[in-house]
Amino acid sequence: MIRRKRMMEDLDQDIRDHLEMETQDNIERGMSPEEARYAALRKFGNVTRVKEETREVWTFVWLEQLFQDVRFGLRMLRKSPGFTAVAVLTLALGIGANTAIFSIVNSVLLRPLAYREAQQLYLVREIIPELSRTYPSLPANLPNFRVWQRECHSFAEVAIVMSTGAMLTGYGEAEDINGGLASANLFDVLGIMPELGRTFLPQEDTPGKDHVVMLTNSFWRDRFQGDPKIVGRSITLDHQPFQVVGILPASFRFPKGDQFSASTGFPLRADYFKPLGLDPAQFSPLGEFDYAAIARLKPETSARQALAELDVIQARIAKDAKQGLGLRAEIIPLESAVVGTARRGLLLLLAGVGAVLLIVCLNLANLLLVRAPGRLREAGIRTALGASRARLARQLVTESALLAILGGVLGIGLAYFGLRWLVAVAPANLPRMDEVHVDARVLWFTVFISMLTGILFGALPAWRVAHAEPQQALKAGAVTITEGRPARRLRESLIGFEVGVGTLLLIVAGLLTTSMVRLLGVDKGFSTEHVLAANITLPPWSYTKFAQKQEFYENVLARVRALPGVKSAGWISRLPLQGEEKVDNIYVAGQLTPSSQASVANYRYVSPGYFESMGILLRRGRLIEPADRDRNVALISESVAKKVWPGENPLGKQFYPGSDEKTLAEVIGVVADIRTVALDEPPLMMVYLPIGCARPWSGSYSSLVVRAAVAPSALASAVRGAIQSVDSGVPIRHLEPMSEIVSESVGVRRFQMGLASLFAIFALLLAALGIYGVVGYSVARRRQELGIRMALGAQGSALRTLILLHGMSPVVVGWASGVLAALVAGRVIRGLLFGVSAQDPLTIASVTFVVLVTAALACYIPARRAMKVDPMVALRYE
Amino acid sequence: MSTREQRERIELLQGTLDLLILRTLRLGPAHGHAIAKAIEFRSDDVLQVEQGSLYPALHRLIKRGWISVQDGTSENNRRAKFYRLTARGRRQLDVETSKWQKLAGAIARILKPAEQGGES
């Protein structure tokens, strides 16, 4: 820039010198001084143009023109603040929403798991073909894992992990902490280096040497204030010393909740990891499928090869077990196992939010087109003065790019807050939400979509204006230029498109909402009204004997039942919708080997009072009574009765409740089926055993269910007091109405439904704004024509109808195509629906109603305004 | 200027002005007016150079590093800007000259038979 300035100053001097020399030459040739000077100038040519051309040598012309365009664009935007505000705001909302949703998609679906070469990691699950109707696949089992470790050459390494928990004492307040019980090589398989200390050693897998733990970074910071000296020291878990050998890095994440499978449900927050220290000899090869097995495949091995090898090993294991059951395996890329079903929902949301941005673009294109005739005059003048079409178009596109950039900048701000809000309201079991943040890829995405939107909504109007005929534009004044049919068609088809996309979004959102309503209204088999539930864990050191635990449970029941407002109360080992617990066969007496119809049931341990409190109906026989507490009796659900004793009276039948059981249980009653693990999954077969029976159940955790005569939350503190009055050392985890638990179980759906509805409503409002703008504009244009019609005696109502019909015709076309698109798209979203067909007529009818009424309203307001016009004023209006 | 005179003058081809400037400066540094005069003189006034168009061309050559500029004193003892060929400019001149000769030769070969055809 400095050089350019100096060169230009030199140039002036140079040209002056040149002209003087030439003049001098001419004088010498005999011209008069004046004549000589003119001749010199003539010979030199246009001084200004020479300077201009020379300056161009030293500058980027396009850059200067760009500055010009930007300055001019900003001036134009300032001149119409209303339009600018609407444009920037809708763009910011559109771009912001897209950025926020893309951040989630980016973190959950696009970014690889934070493990070394994560694409080589696979989750291994086992398949027992005989059970595959109820359980398509199962988590891994410990002895089989040992076999794979020894024999499967496709695996570079394989590790297993299951959830565990312990009570931390001796360091401030006692705390229930959660974590993983892992084979010593877990962190090697994942490729995680400790931040401090070391990971587990191979020998720490064996019983007796396993009293070591690794702490997660967040737990270490929260609980031990990030003290590095804790490494090497002992902490007390369940009254036993464990040496802290290492601290995991802050970047370490572990799949949570049911992302691996219901029966290895991991805590939402892992605090520590401990080596297995279990003896494989204690476990049977075809039971206890409790572990998540994570394998790292050798780089040269394909998943298919690995599976083939594994299936051979599995077949041999099954043969050796001689239980008449088959055994296969399945391997799933760890990433898809973690993300699971969240993928489809997220992609749907991304598509939805993209559609919203599309509508924003269409809307702005329309608003710009509406403004175009005003700009035509300006464009006409500029064309007449010699501006090229390309130059004109570039200037207009610069204007829309400016809008897009402003919208984008504001949008990033909105996205930042929107994202924080989304992460806060997202259900806890949506995978990887704790990893969500805005990274470079997200910012590039925003830049990209901002530019794209700028071009998208700017190109069409720019083209229109740039191709205007200057003569026509300059004739008579822009206002009276008749709007060509093509221009109107263009705007109407944009409106149609907007309405179509909006209708599609509304139908999808409507279907998701209907699904949600159906889901919450589904016959759960239990009732949630007036029911309060609490999860407790008994500290293992103070409750060492089974009888102590029984005593605690009975004492609590007695105290809670005595509370005013309590109708009934009971215990169950695990609440509905909170995962599975013991899953095992029902071995009917007399047929010791389970046949292929062997029925796998969910087992729960219950106290008297549970069924009354949960509102589960008794179908036959009787419920568990206090006298049954240690009798070998059982209640079964209706589906068990149907499946195991079809056509027979199940009462009095006997069976072994599980493969390890030596004593028979007698069926004393049949209760209603319930939705066991999720509202959208059909009821599972249930077997209920008395809480006091001497079955292999630790009894150290349980859930109290209380039916109240009043609102359940009003009883919460009284119930808490009653539990603590029995033993104040027993931690109460959740104490909440059962309706909350049901509501949490559908959190992911609610999240999807909420966002989809938000986007759909936004889309509808945008479309309405577009319709309003277009109809309002055409009414304004036709004021003169309408005035003439009125002056000639046309009825106001007739004119109103005319305008409404004109306004509504593209809406109807758009609506129809939106419905058609929804019918086609139905196939894609079917998997996200529950209890409603993708072509649900009621949903489509309601959406139709909403769309048409909104559109009619958007047409009616400007139409009514037109009718208030005094014909004389309208005729004079120019 | 008479019309006859104008008809005999030839408009410069795009880019040839650069070549002429480089060729002129090969004889030694010169100021703008002198360059214009030299081109006119050496082409027997056939080439019509609007003197002004010399300056954008000079600046283009400076930017490319083919010529440099410095202050000097003109023949009638006036201060003036002197343009001088750089080493790079000298090389460029060789390249451009041979290119030009090739082009001129090729065009001459194309035009020649046509003239003969017209005569016969």
Side-chain angles (χ1 to χ4, degrees):
Chain A
M1 278 310 204
I2 295 160
R3 185 173 181 209
R4 170 183 151 206
K5 207 172 164 201
R6 215 193 59 227
M7 295 304 294
M8 292 314 293
E9 279 163 8
D10 286 357
L11 179 71
D12 287 352
Q13 182 61 44
D14 229 7
I15 291 174
R16 266 199 304 277
D17 290 350
H18 184 118
L19 289 174
E20 260 175 50
M21 286 181 203
E22 185 67 26
T23 311
Q24 197 57 43
D25 282 3
N26 288 343
I27 290 171
E28 280 164 20
R29 277 188 220 153
M31 294 189 199
S32 71
E34 200 181 343
E35 208 180 339
R37 173 130 190 102
Y38 279 125
L41 277 173
R42 217 167 29 241
K43 197 157 189 190
F44 191 85
N46 186 337
V47 176
T48 316
R49 215 192 64 219
V50 166
K51 283 187 188 169
E52 198 92 304
E53 277 175 21
T54 313
R55 181 179 297 127
E56 277 178 20
V57 172
W58 296 106
T59 50
F60 299 103
V61 184
W62 60 267
L63 201 65
E64 278 198 343
Q65 286 181 350
L66 184 67
F67 279 134
Q68 251 172 33
D69 286 350
V70 167
R71 266 201 313 272
F72 185 74
L74 284 176
R75 210 156 55 225
M76 290 306 292
L77 295 183
R78 255 207 314 274
K79 249 179 63 187
S80 40
F83 166 77
T84 308
V86 168
V88 171
L89 217 63
T90 51
L91 274 171
L93 282 171
I95 292 173
N98 270 274
T99 303
I101 296 295
F102 181 76
S103 306
I104 297 181
V105 169
N106 179 42
S107 303
V108 178
L109 301 183
L110 300 182
R111 233 183 352 228
L113 295 176
Y115 305 132
R116 175 169 52 85
E117 285 158 31
Q119 74 284 359
Q120 296 288 106
L121 293 174
Y122 287 81
L123 183 71
V124 185
R125 288 171 65 87
E126 306 198 51
I127 299 171
I128 299 179
E130 288 80 1
L131 305 186
S132 58
R133 271 182 56 193
T134 338
Y135 292 95
S137 70
L138 298 158
N141 133 321
L142 187 68
N144 297 2
F145 155 72
R146 294 289 188 202
V147 176
W148 304 337
Q149 226 176 3
R150 275 197 312 273
E151 298 178 16
C152 188
H153 302 295
S154 306
F155 295 162
E157 227 173 335
V158 54
I160 53 171
V161 55
M162 75 180 287
S163 66
T164 187
M167 185 97 47
L168 172 72
T169 48
Y171 200 97
E173 206 176 310
E175 188 185 355
D176 239 352
I177 61 173
N178 299 307
L181 198 60
S183 57
N185 61 350
L186 176 69
F187 299 105
D188 300 332
V189 171
L190 297 179
I192 298 291
M193 303 299 282
E195 182 166 313
L196 287 173
R198 58 170 176 87
T199 56
F200 300 133
L201 305 172
Q203 64 267 26
E204 286 169 346
D205 257 353
T206 43
K209 297 190 174 142
D210 59 328
H211 277 223
V212 291
V213 289
M214 291 190 70
L215 305 182
T216 61
N217 207 284
S218 55
F219 180 62
W220 173 56
R221 289 193 186 285
D222 291 354
R223 192 64 207 239
F224 299 100
Q225 290 79 45
D227 177 11
K229 287 200 282 295
I230 194 76
V231 177
R233 290 228 292 263
S234 261
I235 60 171
T236 310
L237 297 179
D238 290 348
H239 278 202
Q240 293 193 359
F242 283 83
Q243 193 197 8
V244 178
V245 295
I247 307 291
L248 288 159
S251 60
F252 175 72
R253 294 282 186 284
F254 200 72
K256 61 194 176 184
D258 56 357
Q259 286 162 28
F260 275 166
S261 93
S263 52
T264 53
F266 282 97
L268 292 177
R269 173 188 148 149
D271 301 316
Y272 74 107
F273 283 83
K274 176 197 166 302
L276 280 176
L278 294 174
D279 184 1
Q282 296 170 352
F283 299 95
S284 75
L286 289 179
E288 321 265 352
F289 292 90
D290 288 334
Y291 294 87
I294 300 168
R296 179 176 288 283
L297 260 55
K298 286 182 181 158
E300 68 275 11
T301 315
S302 73
R304 186 191 293 262
Q305 287 169 324
L307 183 61
E309 193 195 353
L310 205 54
D311 272 342
V312 173
I313 298 174
Q314 293 287 76
R316 216 205 53 235
I317 294 175
K319 211 171 128 216
D320 293 351
K322 297 196 181 70
Q323 293 211 8
L325 291 174
L327 192 60
R328 294 208 317 271
E330 88 178 323
I331 68 174
I332 311 156
L334 188 61
E335 197 159 345
S336 44
V338 169
V339 173
T341 52
R343 175 184 303 271
R344 213 169 21 188
L346 276 180
L347 290 180
L348 178 80
L349 286 183
L350 190 64
V353 82
V356 168
L357 190 60
L358 183 64
I359 294 186
V360 168
C361 286
L362 293 173
N363 226 347
L364 287 181
N366 232 333
L367 285 178
L368 283 173
L369 279 178
V370 164
R371 288 156 46 89
R375 300 299 294 273
L376 283 177
R377 195 177 158 80
E378 172 206 333
I381 294 170
R382 298 180 67 180
T383 312
L385 289 179
S388 73
R389 284 187 172 164
R391 185 79 185 75
L392 267 182
R394 202 164 66 199
Q395 207 253 297
L396 288 164
V397 170
T398 307
E399 259 180 71
S400 33
L402 273 178
L403 283 175
I405 289 168
L406 289 176
V409 169
L410 201 59
I412 287 185
L414 283 179
Y416 178 76
F417 290 107
L419 201 57
R420 292 219 325 218
W421 174 74
L422 280 178
V423 171
V425 302
N429 55 344
L430 204 63
R432 304 185 73 186
M433 282 305 278
D434 48 345
E435 296 174 45
V436 168
H437 68 273
V438 173
D439 64 4
R441 175 151 43 180
V442 170
L443 292 179
W444 279 117
F445 172 82
T446 311
V447 170
F448 174 73
I449 60 167
S450 304
M451 290 291 104
L452 191 71
T453 50
I455 292 166
L456 216 58
F457 73 75
L460 205 57
W463 185 84
R464 271 266 296 140
V465 170
H467 280 75
E469 286 301 323
Q471 294 94 321
Q472 207 193 345
L474 291 173
K475 244 188 322 192
V479 188
T480 51
I481 302 169
T482 43
E483 187 186 30
R485 183 171 288 241
R488 208 183 68 218
R489 281 264 170 78
L490 186 63
R491 286 196 290 101
E492 284 184 349
S493 47
L494 286 184
I495 284 293
F497 206 73
E498 269 184 58
V499 172
V501 175
T503 305
L504 175 62
L505 275 184
L506 277 172
I507 290 178
V508 171
L511 289 173
L512 290 178
T513 310
T514 312
S515 300
M516 188 75 189
V517 172
R518 295 270 158 87
L519 193 58
L520 287 176
V522 80
D523 179 16
K524 295 180 277 292
F526 56 89
S527 75
T528 56
E529 261 172 75
H530 296 282
V531 178
L532 188 71
N535 295 343
I536 59 102
T537 310
L538 297 179
W541 57 89
S542 38
Y543 290 84
T544 48
K545 295 203 192 77
F546 197 62
Q548 288 176 307
K549 301 173 189 170
Q550 295 306 310
E551 203 189 321
F552 171 81
Y553 292 139
E554 285 188 7
N555 287 343
V556 169
L557 276 191
R559 301 244 175 136
V560 169
R561 281 177 182 152
L563 290 174
V566 170
K567 276 185 170 170
S568 64
W571 290 100
I572 183 163
S573 50
R574 187 179 287 256
L575 289 170
L577 308 181
Q578 289 198 333
E580 297 184 279
E581 190 182 19
K582 174 180 163 164
V583 178
D584 209 335
N585 277 304
I586 293 171
Y587 295 84
V588 177
Q591 5 168 165
L592 273 180
T593 322
S595 64
S596 57
Q597 293 106 38
S599 317
V600 180
N602 255 267
Y603 289 80
R604 299 284 153 100
Y605 299 87
V606 294
S607 78
Y610 168 71
F611 294 99
E612 297 91 321
S613 308
M614 202 53 127
I616 299 174
L617 295 177
L618 178 71
R619 302 292 195 203
R620 289 179 96 154
R622 63 176 180 86
L623 292 173
I624 289 175
E625 288 158 11
D628 292 324
R629 58 180 272 188
D630 47 5
R631 282 192 206 149
N632 283 316
V633 295
L635 286 171
I636 57 173
S637 64
E638 277 179 299
S639 53
V640 176
K642 256 182 239 143
K643 199 93 165 272
V644 183
W645 292 284
E648 292 178 73
N649 180 1
L651 298 181
K653 299 279 190 215
Q654 294 193 313
F655 67 96
Y656 293 100
S659 52
D660 297 334
E661 297 289 340
K662 302 288 184 284
T663 39
L664 286 162
E666 188 191 328
V667 177
I668 55 165
V670 179
V671 292
D673 279 327
I674 61 158
R675 304 257 155 174
T676 315
V677 290
L679 288 188
D680 54 4
E681 280 181 34
L684 293 175
M685 295 167 65
M686 299 293 294
V687 173
Y688 301 93
L689 302 171
I691 206 168
C693 70
R695 304 285 177 188
W697 176 57
S698 72
S700 52
Y701 54 88
S702 198
S703 301
L704 178 68
V705 180
V706 179
R707 173 163 292 265
V710 293
S713 45
L715 266 184
S717 60
V719 168
R720 181 183 295 275
I723 297 173
Q724 280 171 343
S725 70
V726 177
D727 183 347
S728 59
V730 172
I732 302 166
R733 284 235 205 126
H734 307 285
L735 181 66
E736 54 189 351
M738 193 60 203
S739 53
E740 277 298 306
I741 293 170
V742 171
S743 156
E744 277 163 27
S745 79
V746 293
V748 174
R749 270 179 192 277
R750 177 173 298 117
F751 184 66
Q752 284 166 358
M753 176 202 78
L755 283 183
S757 307
L758 199 67
F759 297 156
I761 290 168
F762 186 39
L764 179 70
L765 291 180
L766 281 173
L769 183 73
I771 296 167
Y772 175 82
V774 167
V775 174
Y777 167 73
S778 85
V779 167
R781 290 195 74 90
R782 294 169 67 184
R783 190 172 293 193
Q784 217 172 357
E785 173 209 330
L786 295 173
I788 295 172
R789 284 180 186 237
M790 273 163 111
L792 293 177
Q795 287 294 312
S797 61
L799 288 185
R800 204 155 50 212
T801 314
L802 182 81
I803 292 169
L804 266 177
L805 282 180
H806 273 194
M808 287 300 281
S809 59
V811 170
V812 171
V813 173
W815 159 79
S817 31
V819 170
L820 268 178
L823 291 180
V824 176
R827 279 188 322 139
V828 184
I829 61 161
R830 194 177 297 154
L832 293 168
L833 303 182
F834 177 86
V836 59
S837 114
Q839 287 91 30
D840 182 43
L842 190 66
T843 306
I844 294 177
S846 333
V847 168
T848 301
F849 179 76
V850 170
V851 167
L852 295 185
V853 166
T854 312
L857 210 63
C859 290
Y860 179 75
I861 296 170
R864 205 188 51 168
R865 199 181 313 139
M867 289 319 99
K868 290 197 178 144
V869 168
D870 179 351
M872 288 320 290
V873 175
L875 282 174
R876 253 184 274 125
Y877 178 81
E878 176 77 355
Chain B
M1 280 179 217
S2 72
T3 44
R4 208 186 91 82
E5 204 179 350
Q6 242 167 16
R7 225 178 289 130
E8 280 175 5
R9 287 190 160 191
I10 301 171
E11 291 269 350
L12 270 184
L13 280 172
Q14 185 82 40
T16 39
L17 183 57
D18 292 6
L19 179 60
L20 293 178
I21 292 171
L22 291 177
R23 182 70 189 82
T24 308
L25 290 181
R26 195 169 182 182
L27 306 172
H31 52 76
H33 186 245
I35 298 171
K37 286 282 168 208
I39 292 174
E40 274 171 36
F41 177 72
R42 285 163 58 87
S43 71
D44 296 332
D45 281 346
V46 174
L47 292 179
Q48 181 191 346
V49 181
E50 199 168 52
Q51 289 180 348
S53 63
L54 197 63
Y55 288 90
L58 281 171
H59 282 250
R60 211 158 37 236
L61 294 174
I62 293 172
K63 197 181 176 194
R64 287 179 190 158
W66 295 343
I67 63 176
S68 61
V69 61
Q70 57 194 181
D71 288 330
T73 324
S74 69
E75 50 272 33
N76 39 13
N77 262 340
R78 296 187 47 139
R79 232 185 35 121
K81 297 261 168 240
F82 273 76
Y83 299 92
R84 170 196 297 279
L85 201 61
T86 63
R88 271 177 71 192
R90 208 170 291 273
R91 276 199 301 279
Q92 189 61 30
L93 176 61
D94 294 342
V95 174
E96 296 285 328
T97 310
S98 82
K99 254 208 281 201
W100 175 257
Q101 277 161 355
K102 267 184 208 154
L103 179 68
I107 290 176
R109 275 194 298 281
I110 293 168
L111 296 179
K112 224 170 176 183
E115 274 169 25
Q116 285 167 350
E119 275 169 10
S120 65

